[in-house]
Amino acid sequence: MLIFTAPSGAGKTTIVRHLLKQFDELSFSVSATNRPLRDGEVHGVSYYFLSDEDFQRCITDDKFAEHEEVYPGRFYGTLKSEIERIWAEGKTIVFDIEVKGATNLKKMYPRRATTIFINPPSEEALFQRLRDRSTETEEQLRVRMERAVMELGYVNSFDRVLVNDDLAIALAEAEKIVSGILSS
Ligand SMILES: Nc1ncnc2c1ncn2[C@@H]1O[C@H](COP(=O)(O)OP(=O)(O)OP(=O)(O)O)[C@@H](O)[C@H]1O
Ligand SMILES: Nc1nc2c(ncn2[C@@H]2O[C@H](COP(=O)(O)O)[C@@H](O)[C@H]2O)c(=O)[nH]1
């Protein structure tokens, strides 16, 4: 398992997408969420987009390996079925999840999981990337930035730290980390 974690806007999606193109051995764990789709997102590819009721039913039915209310009223979770599906294919699972979920998965799979924290060059750069992405309203941005400050405090809690300043350098470093893990 390769667990990529970081505050919103640090570059998890950008780096994970690149790695999935480079390595056939990897397969992405599609999370479930009750947040609305962004432009370009596809159900079953980016996320399983569930209604509030369906997400709560999955919790009640114990379908999640882990789940978090990442923002008020916005839930995200890793389905147990997703982990089983990818392992049945014999592939290495790649996660893009926030810090608490990453910590919980690492506790569940201490030997199988490697956690990689993606660190932005600065808080200011992170906020600028989030603003430039233009996917959130001003209020949603404020909530994400508040949580990002908390998540940045987790930088030393994971197996590896990958600095995402110059994107080309970060992608090359990510490839090196993954190659090392796949060949070990
Ligand atoms: N090294 C970089 N330099 C400049 N911009 C970057 C860099 N890496 C990523 N970005 C841009 O920053 C924005 C946030 O990146 P991305 O969506 O990959 O972050 P994320 O960690 O997946 O965020 P979220 O958790 O909200 O999904 C995107 O618009 C992306 O193109
Ligand atoms: N604990 C979990 N966190 C998850 C999961 N899937 C995604 N996420 C994280 O949520 C935030 C917000 O994502 P966004 O797509 O709305 O920008 C981000 O940090 C994701 O990494 C999950 O299954 N569990």
Side-chain angles (χ1 to χ4, degrees):
M1 293 179 157
L2 290 171
I3 304 174
F4 286 88
T5 190
S8 178
K12 297 181 295 295
T13 311
T14 307
I15 290 171
V16 162
R17 275 196 193 143
H18 173 81
L19 292 171
L20 290 165
K21 280 195 211 138
Q22 300 296 314
F23 296 93
D24 282 344
E25 302 94 321
L26 304 181
S27 182
F28 183 61
S29 168
V30 179
S31 296
T33 183
N34 69 340
R35 83 148 163 74
L37 278 88
R38 290 180 190 142
D39 278 353
E41 288 185 326
V42 177
H43 176 77
V45 177
S46 321
Y47 282 104
Y48 299 110
F49 292 96
L50 305 183
S51 64
D52 296 348
E53 295 72 26
D54 286 345
F55 199 101
Q56 292 306 321
R57 195 168 308 118
C58 285
I59 296 176
T60 310
D61 293 347
D62 196 28
K63 297 225 163 125
F64 288 116
E66 63 76 34
H67 67 277
E68 290 293 326
E69 185 176 6
V70 180
Y71 305 111
R74 292 293 180 229
F75 292 83
Y76 297 77
T78 303
L79 291 160
K80 291 177 182 171
S81 57
E82 201 59 11
I83 294 177
E84 283 153 17
R85 174 183 72 77
I86 298 171
W87 270 341
E89 290 172 359
K91 297 209 174 189
T92 297
I93 313 179
V94 176
F95 297 89
D96 166 347
I97 65 178
E98 53 66 64
V99 295
K100 292 186 180 167
T103 305
N104 288 336
L105 280 181
K106 177 74 182 180
K107 276 192 199 136
M108 291 162 72
Y109 303 99
R111 279 194 292 275
R112 292 179 109 154
T114 302
T115 47
I116 302 153
F117 185 90
I118 299 176
N119 207 14
S122 66
E123 211 173 276
E124 293 68 35
L126 176 73
F127 295 166
Q128 194 56 48
R129 284 178 195 173
L130 266 181
R131 274 192 216 97
D132 291 348
R133 194 173 67 182
S134 306
T135 48
E136 266 72 40
T137 63
E138 274 306 311
E139 174 54 16
Q140 288 165 343
L141 267 180
R142 193 189 59 71
V143 173
R144 280 184 183 246
M145 289 175 185
E146 219 172 87
R147 187 179 169 97
V149 172
M150 178 279 282
E151 293 203 37
L152 284 170
Y154 278 71
V155 60
N156 293 319
S157 307
F158 300 102
D159 298 320
R160 310 288 291 262
V161 177
L162 172 60
V163 176
N164 181 19
D165 184 357
D166 179 301
L167 183 59
I169 294 173
L171 294 178
E173 182 61 22
E175 284 185 37
K176 222 193 288 174
I177 292 173
V178 173
S179 291
I181 290 168
L182 290 178
S183 63
S184 67

